[in-house]
Amino acid sequence: HYEYLPGFFQEKRDTMNELLKDVPLTPKVASGTYFQAYEYSQVSDMDDLAFAKYLTTEVGVAAIPMSPFYTTPPGDRVLRLCFAKKAETIEAAAERLMKLNG
């Protein structure tokens, strides 16, 4: 029963990355997780906490900043999006993130 999970989540990750290919977010390699990290320096100079808040409140897509996971954050412009969602939710998030294109 659990053996299908890797393929299930890989398909969701690949779908999300495909839907976001025209959004100025650069995916970082992700495996063994249901979060995809994205580098967002092409979009904003905000720190990850501020940018995650912006995405959540202004764009309507919940994002997770990476800096809280560090004692000393590296200062890069990376956040995570969860792809353990229904296909419709991933599609809606991708549509909303298209706003980042300007």
Side-chain angles (χ1 to χ4, degrees):
H1 164 112
Y2 64 88
E3 292 175 342
Y4 83 98
L5 286 176
F8 173 79
F9 282 122
Q10 180 176 341
E11 182 178 333
K12 287 186 172 290
R13 181 203 62 205
D14 293 349
T15 297
M16 187 166 76
N17 284 336
E18 179 64 24
L19 290 169
L20 295 179
K21 71 178 184 208
D22 294 326
V23 175
L25 300 173
T26 306
K28 312 270 270 170
V29 176
S31 61
T33 181
Y34 46 83
F35 293 100
Q36 174 65 61
Y38 290 94
E39 197 275 330
Y40 64 87
S41 65
Q42 295 179 50
V43 178
S44 176
D45 289 331
M46 288 184 239
D47 66 40
D48 65 337
L49 292 169
F51 192 62
K53 183 176 180 179
Y54 166 78
L55 286 179
T56 302
T57 60
E58 302 298 323
V59 179
V61 176
I64 304 158
M66 299 292 287
S67 60
F69 296 100
Y70 293 91
T71 302
T72 306
D76 52 1
R77 307 269 185 254
V78 177
L79 49 78
R80 298 187 319 166
L81 299 175
C82 180
F83 54 81
K85 307 286 182 184
K86 293 179 183 176
E88 302 83 33
T89 303
I90 294 171
E91 291 166 7
E95 187 175 314
R96 290 175 185 170
L97 288 167
M98 291 299 283
K99 295 176 187 176
L100 296 176
N101 285 329

